[in-house]
Amino acid sequence: MRCDLKKKSSILKSLRTGLLIAISIIVFAYAFQVTNVNFETTRSEVRITQLTRVLRALAKPELVQYDTTEEEISTPFYLPCPDTGEIEEIEKNTDEAYIQTSVICASPKESITVEGFNMAANIKGPINFLAASGVKRQLANFETNNEGYFSVDVVIPTRQPVAEAQYITATIRTTTGLPKWTDTAKATWYKIIETVFIALLATTIGTAASIPISFIAARNLMKDSTSTPTSTALNIIGFPIGAYLGYIFSKWIIDLLSPFEKNVFVTLIGLIISGLIAYFSIRKGLPSEDIKKPTTSVKFQRFAFIFIAGVMTILSIILFGEFTKLTGKELENVLGPFSFLGYALFQIGDITLMLVPAITAIAFGGVVVSLFNKVGLSLQDNLNTKILKIINVVISTIAGAILFALVMAVINWFYQFNNQRISLYYPVLIGGFAGFILAAIAKPKHPLPTGFIIYTITRTILNALRSIEPLVMAIIAVIWVGIGPFAGSLALALHTIAALAKLYSEQVESIDDGPLEAIHATGANKLQTIVYAVIPQIVPPYISFTMYRWDINVRMSTIIGFVGGGGIGFLLQQNINLLSYRAASVQMLAIAIVVASMDYISSKIRERIV
Amino acid sequence: MLEIKNLTKVYEGNVQALDNVSFNVQPGEFLAVIGLSGSGKSTLLRCINRLVEPTNGEVIWDGVDITKAGPDELRRIRRQIGMIFQHFNLVERSKVLTNVLAGRLGYTNPAMSLVNRFSKNDVDMAYKQLERVGITDQANKRADELSGGQQQRVSIARAMMQNPKIILADEPVASLDPVLAHSIMQYLEKINKEDGVTIICSLHFLDLVHRYANRAIALNAGVLMFDGAPKEIDDVKFKEIYGKEAERVG
Ligand SMILES: Nc1ncnc2c1ncn2[C@@H]1O[C@H](COP(=O)(O)OP(=O)(O)OP(=O)(O)O)[C@@H](O)[C@H]1O
Ligand SMILES: [Mg+2]
């Protein structure tokens, strides 16, 4: 019986193996068809000649050129032979270089021999027929031997009969002076610099942005953050309200400042004053040590100072933006060759001003959230379960309604329903209902894993972003900001953020959490724990991943030009389309050199650090 | 005074690490916590400063229930409770001095400490604590360049930076050789005697318990089996604590 079973199973096994083999054969056979595998084309004569030509062109990158001088040596020739009389021979100076035809006249399509004497050794050039009309027609190429002699058979072209002498000429090109870079080489140099800078900007911006994100996307830092249902619901209500208020506030301040925005001195003085006020109110509001539990009035005082500091900081950020913009513009005019410094300054100011509403919105949102959090906690501590539950039900109904309305607003932006019922009423109703049900079911004091939820959402967004190829992102960026390196930098920066944030957060997840626990036990808060226990542990891997990403970005930026993202790819594509393979070869060479040297440098740096 | 009342911890997956544990600790005591591996010693210590959230029960210190403290309150409580770990838990890539200063984080303003700014007082204090454990000359080395015994001394200095009223030591000498073990225990004894810091210390070796502790509690599978002077642990008690097959060594 047992033996039977064994046999059966071994038959089954071999059957299965056979089936697997059959399936894989079918899969690969299909793959051949789908990918158009056809080796006959690789042997076709036409294609091989083409390939040879292109490869030879590629092997000769058009890097340098010489100044050339042309000297034409000619001999008279009659086409056709005159009907009457002799043709007078011209005496040639046989000391100099001269050419001689085997006959002095001939009919079209006749073959004659052209000889050259006393020429420079081993030079090449064309032999032309110079018609009376002035039109040149190349007949052949000559190449002199060591004695400066050549002899070439040429066929006389068909031309209108002309009585007087026409000419057969040999053109001698001699190069003079030092080799010079070709225009292609110059353009390539310019574009390769652009390429490297695209990679540099994308990597720096991407790194800066992905470091904070990586902490949010790290499971071990987030999993312990919980908040009560009350606080969670209050946060969902509070953040949008705060953000909206912040947005309005920043617009209001910017409007308020608009009369002064053209005056450098006013903005500078304003910047200094508001900066100082901000600094001192921070010092007042955040004493360097808090030994005792603060009383309510002290707390209130501190809050007032921090509020002033916050407003002043926003003000000084705006003024900083205005000031750098103004000075940047000025400097651009006066700095001459260094005007790019002014340009950069102007752009920094512009970016700052662009970001102010967003920063303010987030900051206000954060303030409202932390206030609401405190309210939530004190509600939680001071109310009994029943009343707390009622409050929870009410606020989470509101929170659900707001959340769904906001999500739907985003969806509506894409799909433009043009229907208030779909875009507003239904989501509010459904969200409110969901919030109601959740709050009704949940225990009012049971903490929710907010940290884990935020972690999951961040990870999901990062994964989605990462799956979009940088080339696709570049296409969208080109639509947004136009063809050029800026579009490429944007696309690469975005992809860098997604990719690095994930790599970084995995590093954070793999750190030793003993020190984390120890620092936490001293009474340090979350941020302090990150600064003192997490960051020291992740510096080496972060640097190493940044270098790795820099490497990828250099590679990517060389081809991002194919879709209009600036950099050398643009030139390369153009030359390939124009079939100028010798020019394309220059760009390929440049790419190879840059990629290889970046590769080398980054691996050296990584070696040093890890 | 520290009162532990009906403390219970059930980890995920229904692991009962602590089962209704109650005991008191008087100020200035040197309390040893003993028990087999997995009996819940670390869990007990971590429940006191809430590195582990207790499932049930109360930890009352000076009339305040730590288990119910809000975030700000907890921060203020934690900074008065130093903690020492078996594996030192130093930030290895940071300087010794920075590691010691980190003990001050509960007192410094979060915004200031973010930019690595400690007051001059704190830095002076850090040197003083390093001097007390005899490694002032190592202050500017990286923590991972130090030997195990030195690292544990750094972590004592870090705990002392907190001006602690209590120190929780979770097997502080388990990864050190016997000679170093005694030297570390002597530092703890000194802190206990000179500064009057209450010490709750889990230990594996009974001779250390007899030598340093003035009281001991024992856990077995999360249940409190013994509470009394170390010398009261006779053979019967010993078998209760460590199981029937256990043999006394040393
Ligand atoms: N994070 C955790 N999740 C789940 N179970 C845990 C966790 N930490 C500890 N445990 C379990 O709780 C029980 C008590 O563990 P604890 O670490 O407190 O014991 P211990 O007495 O300190 O042991 P040791 O002497 O080995 O350090 C053990 O059964 C352990 O497996
Ligand atoms: Mg333990």
PDB file of all heavy atoms in Angstrom, chain B residues 11-12 15-17 35-44 86 170-171 204, ligand 1:
ATOM      1  N   TYR B  11       1.211  40.783  26.907  1.00  0.00           N
ATOM      2  CA  TYR B  11       1.707  41.207  25.593  1.00  0.00           C
ATOM      3  C   TYR B  11       0.800  40.680  24.508  1.00  0.00           C
ATOM      4  O   TYR B  11      -0.006  39.774  24.724  1.00  0.00           O
ATOM      5  CB  TYR B  11       3.117  40.660  25.349  1.00  0.00           C
ATOM      6  CG  TYR B  11       4.201  41.429  26.047  1.00  0.00           C
ATOM      7  CD1 TYR B  11       4.909  40.873  27.106  1.00  0.00           C
ATOM      8  CD2 TYR B  11       4.538  42.709  25.638  1.00  0.00           C
ATOM      9  CE1 TYR B  11       5.920  41.563  27.730  1.00  0.00           C
ATOM     10  CE2 TYR B  11       5.554  43.415  26.262  1.00  0.00           C
ATOM     11  CZ  TYR B  11       6.243  42.838  27.307  1.00  0.00           C
ATOM     12  OH  TYR B  11       7.244  43.531  27.921  1.00  0.00           O
ATOM     13  N   GLU B  12       0.956  41.215  23.330  1.00  0.00           N
ATOM     14  CA  GLU B  12       0.233  40.700  22.166  1.00  0.00           C
ATOM     15  C   GLU B  12       0.507  39.213  22.031  1.00  0.00           C
ATOM     16  O   GLU B  12       1.619  38.759  22.258  1.00  0.00           O
ATOM     17  CB  GLU B  12       0.729  41.414  20.905  1.00  0.00           C
ATOM     18  CG  GLU B  12      -0.206  42.498  20.414  1.00  0.00           C
ATOM     19  CD  GLU B  12       0.456  43.336  19.342  1.00  0.00           C
ATOM     20  OE1 GLU B  12       0.761  42.768  18.285  1.00  0.00           O
ATOM     21  OE2 GLU B  12       0.690  44.532  19.606  1.00  0.00           O
ATOM     22  N   VAL B  15       0.675  36.728  25.888  1.00  0.00           N
ATOM     23  CA  VAL B  15       1.777  36.356  26.763  1.00  0.00           C
ATOM     24  C   VAL B  15       1.603  37.110  28.071  1.00  0.00           C
ATOM     25  O   VAL B  15       1.676  38.337  28.086  1.00  0.00           O
ATOM     26  CB  VAL B  15       3.137  36.722  26.124  1.00  0.00           C
ATOM     27  CG1 VAL B  15       4.261  36.255  27.029  1.00  0.00           C
ATOM     28  CG2 VAL B  15       3.241  36.117  24.755  1.00  0.00           C
ATOM     29  N   GLN B  16       1.363  36.381  29.120  1.00  0.00           N
ATOM     30  CA  GLN B  16       1.181  37.039  30.416  1.00  0.00           C
ATOM     31  C   GLN B  16       2.549  37.233  31.045  1.00  0.00           C
ATOM     32  O   GLN B  16       3.135  36.296  31.571  1.00  0.00           O
ATOM     33  CB  GLN B  16       0.296  36.177  31.302  1.00  0.00           C
ATOM     34  CG  GLN B  16       0.104  36.747  32.691  1.00  0.00           C
ATOM     35  CD  GLN B  16      -1.301  37.267  32.914  1.00  0.00           C
ATOM     36  OE1 GLN B  16      -2.239  36.833  32.265  1.00  0.00           O
ATOM     37  NE2 GLN B  16      -1.458  38.223  33.819  1.00  0.00           N
ATOM     38  N   ALA B  17       3.069  38.456  30.982  1.00  0.00           N
ATOM     39  CA  ALA B  17       4.414  38.700  31.500  1.00  0.00           C
ATOM     40  C   ALA B  17       4.391  39.088  32.969  1.00  0.00           C
ATOM     41  O   ALA B  17       5.323  38.798  33.710  1.00  0.00           O
ATOM     42  CB  ALA B  17       5.093  39.788  30.673  1.00  0.00           C
ATOM     43  N   GLY B  35      14.663  36.282  39.374  1.00  0.00           N
ATOM     44  CA  GLY B  35      13.731  35.377  38.693  1.00  0.00           C
ATOM     45  C   GLY B  35      14.392  34.809  37.466  1.00  0.00           C
ATOM     46  O   GLY B  35      15.404  35.343  36.977  1.00  0.00           O
ATOM     47  N   LEU B  36      13.796  33.712  36.991  1.00  0.00           N
ATOM     48  CA  LEU B  36      14.364  33.075  35.805  1.00  0.00           C
ATOM     49  C   LEU B  36      14.256  33.977  34.588  1.00  0.00           C
ATOM     50  O   LEU B  36      13.498  34.953  34.581  1.00  0.00           O
ATOM     51  CB  LEU B  36      13.593  31.777  35.511  1.00  0.00           C
ATOM     52  CG  LEU B  36      13.924  30.579  36.380  1.00  0.00           C
ATOM     53  CD1 LEU B  36      12.968  29.447  36.051  1.00  0.00           C
ATOM     54  CD2 LEU B  36      15.367  30.147  36.091  1.00  0.00           C
ATOM     55  N   SER B  37      14.968  33.592  33.574  1.00  0.00           N
ATOM     56  CA  SER B  37      14.838  34.308  32.306  1.00  0.00           C
ATOM     57  C   SER B  37      13.392  34.160  31.813  1.00  0.00           C
ATOM     58  O   SER B  37      12.830  33.067  31.850  1.00  0.00           O
ATOM     59  CB  SER B  37      15.811  33.681  31.306  1.00  0.00           C
ATOM     60  OG  SER B  37      15.834  34.459  30.160  1.00  0.00           O
ATOM     61  N   GLY B  38      12.806  35.274  31.419  1.00  0.00           N
ATOM     62  CA  GLY B  38      11.428  35.226  30.931  1.00  0.00           C
ATOM     63  C   GLY B  38      10.401  35.336  32.043  1.00  0.00           C
ATOM     64  O   GLY B  38       9.207  35.251  31.799  1.00  0.00           O
ATOM     65  N   SER B  39      10.859  35.586  33.274  1.00  0.00           N
ATOM     66  CA  SER B  39       9.900  35.647  34.375  1.00  0.00           C
ATOM     67  C   SER B  39       9.213  37.004  34.459  1.00  0.00           C
ATOM     68  O   SER B  39       8.252  37.155  35.206  1.00  0.00           O
ATOM     69  CB  SER B  39      10.619  35.331  35.681  1.00  0.00           C
ATOM     70  OG  SER B  39      11.675  36.242  35.857  1.00  0.00           O
ATOM     71  N   GLY B  40       9.713  37.975  33.713  1.00  0.00           N
ATOM     72  CA  GLY B  40       9.032  39.266  33.679  1.00  0.00           C
ATOM     73  C   GLY B  40       9.773  40.401  34.372  1.00  0.00           C
ATOM     74  O   GLY B  40       9.194  41.453  34.605  1.00  0.00           O
ATOM     75  N   LYS B  41      11.058  40.213  34.629  1.00  0.00           N
ATOM     76  CA  LYS B  41      11.823  41.251  35.330  1.00  0.00           C
ATOM     77  C   LYS B  41      11.901  42.534  34.493  1.00  0.00           C
ATOM     78  O   LYS B  41      11.608  43.622  34.979  1.00  0.00           O
ATOM     79  CB  LYS B  41      13.248  40.757  35.636  1.00  0.00           C
ATOM     80  CG  LYS B  41      13.302  39.474  36.435  1.00  0.00           C
ATOM     81  CD  LYS B  41      14.720  39.067  36.767  1.00  0.00           C
ATOM     82  CE  LYS B  41      15.544  38.684  35.550  1.00  0.00           C
ATOM     83  NZ  LYS B  41      15.080  37.460  34.866  1.00  0.00           N
ATOM     84  N   SER B  42      12.326  42.372  33.245  1.00  0.00           N
ATOM     85  CA  SER B  42      12.451  43.565  32.392  1.00  0.00           C
ATOM     86  C   SER B  42      11.099  44.229  32.213  1.00  0.00           C
ATOM     87  O   SER B  42      10.994  45.464  32.237  1.00  0.00           O
ATOM     88  CB  SER B  42      12.988  43.172  31.012  1.00  0.00           C
ATOM     89  OG  SER B  42      14.208  42.523  31.131  1.00  0.00           O
ATOM     90  N   THR B  43      10.072  43.427  32.028  1.00  0.00           N
ATOM     91  CA  THR B  43       8.742  43.996  31.849  1.00  0.00           C
ATOM     92  C   THR B  43       8.349  44.821  33.075  1.00  0.00           C
ATOM     93  O   THR B  43       7.829  45.937  32.935  1.00  0.00           O
ATOM     94  CB  THR B  43       7.730  42.869  31.617  1.00  0.00           C
ATOM     95  OG1 THR B  43       8.192  42.050  30.544  1.00  0.00           O
ATOM     96  CG2 THR B  43       6.364  43.423  31.277  1.00  0.00           C
ATOM     97  N   LEU B  44       8.636  44.296  34.245  1.00  0.00           N
ATOM     98  CA  LEU B  44       8.288  45.018  35.467  1.00  0.00           C
ATOM     99  C   LEU B  44       8.991  46.377  35.507  1.00  0.00           C
ATOM    100  O   LEU B  44       8.363  47.412  35.731  1.00  0.00           O
ATOM    101  CB  LEU B  44       8.695  44.184  36.686  1.00  0.00           C
ATOM    102  CG  LEU B  44       8.536  44.872  38.041  1.00  0.00           C
ATOM    103  CD1 LEU B  44       7.072  45.190  38.287  1.00  0.00           C
ATOM    104  CD2 LEU B  44       9.091  44.019  39.159  1.00  0.00           C
ATOM    105  N   GLN B  86      21.192  46.226  30.258  1.00  0.00           N
ATOM    106  CA  GLN B  86      22.198  45.167  30.150  1.00  0.00           C
ATOM    107  C   GLN B  86      23.197  45.462  29.030  1.00  0.00           C
ATOM    108  O   GLN B  86      24.387  45.279  29.174  1.00  0.00           O
ATOM    109  CB  GLN B  86      21.505  43.824  29.888  1.00  0.00           C
ATOM    110  CG  GLN B  86      22.503  42.705  29.652  1.00  0.00           C
ATOM    111  CD  GLN B  86      21.816  41.374  29.362  1.00  0.00           C
ATOM    112  OE1 GLN B  86      20.598  41.260  29.433  1.00  0.00           O
ATOM    113  NE2 GLN B  86      22.608  40.379  29.050  1.00  0.00           N
ATOM    114  N   ASP B 170      18.367  47.239  34.657  1.00  0.00           N
ATOM    115  CA  ASP B 170      17.909  45.954  34.135  1.00  0.00           C
ATOM    116  C   ASP B 170      19.122  45.083  33.810  1.00  0.00           C
ATOM    117  O   ASP B 170      19.736  45.231  32.764  1.00  0.00           O
ATOM    118  CB  ASP B 170      17.046  46.188  32.885  1.00  0.00           C
ATOM    119  CG  ASP B 170      16.365  44.925  32.440  1.00  0.00           C
ATOM    120  OD1 ASP B 170      16.468  43.907  33.147  1.00  0.00           O
ATOM    121  OD2 ASP B 170      15.718  44.954  31.370  1.00  0.00           O
ATOM    122  N   GLU B 171      19.449  44.196  34.717  1.00  0.00           N
ATOM    123  CA  GLU B 171      20.611  43.326  34.586  1.00  0.00           C
ATOM    124  C   GLU B 171      21.859  44.107  34.170  1.00  0.00           C
ATOM    125  O   GLU B 171      22.439  43.838  33.113  1.00  0.00           O
ATOM    126  CB  GLU B 171      20.329  42.208  33.584  1.00  0.00           C
ATOM    127  CG  GLU B 171      19.222  41.300  34.099  1.00  0.00           C
ATOM    128  CD  GLU B 171      18.884  40.189  33.138  1.00  0.00           C
ATOM    129  OE1 GLU B 171      19.778  39.819  32.362  1.00  0.00           O
ATOM    130  OE2 GLU B 171      17.746  39.720  33.180  1.00  0.00           O
ATOM    131  N   HIS B 204      20.919  38.402  38.131  1.00  0.00           N
ATOM    132  CA  HIS B 204      20.858  36.968  37.908  1.00  0.00           C
ATOM    133  C   HIS B 204      21.592  36.189  38.991  1.00  0.00           C
ATOM    134  O   HIS B 204      21.267  35.033  39.239  1.00  0.00           O
ATOM    135  CB  HIS B 204      21.464  36.618  36.542  1.00  0.00           C
ATOM    136  CG  HIS B 204      20.431  36.497  35.485  1.00  0.00           C
ATOM    137  ND1 HIS B 204      19.315  35.714  35.646  1.00  0.00           N
ATOM    138  CD2 HIS B 204      20.322  37.047  34.262  1.00  0.00           C
ATOM    139  CE1 HIS B 204      18.578  35.786  34.568  1.00  0.00           C
ATOM    140  NE2 HIS B 204      19.155  36.598  33.700  1.00  0.00           N
TER     141      HIS B 204
HETATM  142  N1  LIG C   1       7.591  42.907  23.225  1.00  0.00           N
HETATM  143  C1  LIG C   1       7.127  41.700  23.607  1.00  0.00           C
HETATM  144  N2  LIG C   1       6.114  41.130  22.931  1.00  0.00           N
HETATM  145  C2  LIG C   1       5.633  39.934  23.318  1.00  0.00           C
HETATM  146  N3  LIG C   1       6.091  39.242  24.352  1.00  0.00           N
HETATM  147  C3  LIG C   1       7.110  39.745  25.069  1.00  0.00           C
HETATM  148  C4  LIG C   1       7.682  41.015  24.729  1.00  0.00           C
HETATM  149  N4  LIG C   1       8.685  41.286  25.590  1.00  0.00           N
HETATM  150  C5  LIG C   1       8.734  40.222  26.448  1.00  0.00           C
HETATM  151  N5  LIG C   1       7.791  39.317  26.131  1.00  0.00           N
HETATM  152  C6  LIG C   1       7.518  38.077  26.863  1.00  0.00           C
HETATM  153  O1  LIG C   1       7.174  38.394  28.197  1.00  0.00           O
HETATM  154  C7  LIG C   1       7.776  37.480  29.092  1.00  0.00           C
HETATM  155  C8  LIG C   1       8.611  38.219  30.108  1.00  0.00           C
HETATM  156  O2  LIG C   1       9.712  38.819  29.433  1.00  0.00           O
HETATM  157  P1  LIG C   1      10.811  39.713  30.138  1.00  0.00           P
HETATM  158  O3  LIG C   1      11.702  40.239  29.100  1.00  0.00           O
HETATM  159  O4  LIG C   1      10.132  40.692  31.022  1.00  0.00           O
HETATM  160  O5  LIG C   1      11.571  38.632  31.042  1.00  0.00           O
HETATM  161  P2  LIG C   1      12.925  38.781  31.857  1.00  0.00           P
HETATM  162  O6  LIG C   1      12.654  38.278  33.185  1.00  0.00           O
HETATM  163  O7  LIG C   1      13.459  40.153  31.722  1.00  0.00           O
HETATM  164  O8  LIG C   1      13.866  37.774  31.079  1.00  0.00           O
HETATM  165  P3  LIG C   1      15.455  37.868  30.860  1.00  0.00           P
HETATM  166  O9  LIG C   1      16.082  37.483  32.136  1.00  0.00           O
HETATM  167  O10 LIG C   1      15.700  36.865  29.792  1.00  0.00           O
HETATM  168  O11 LIG C   1      15.760  39.254  30.432  1.00  0.00           O
HETATM  169  C9  LIG C   1       8.564  36.500  28.268  1.00  0.00           C
HETATM  170  O12 LIG C   1       7.780  35.339  28.096  1.00  0.00           O
HETATM  171  C10 LIG C   1       8.746  37.197  26.955  1.00  0.00           C
HETATM  172  O13 LIG C   1       8.746  36.247  25.921  1.00  0.00           O
END
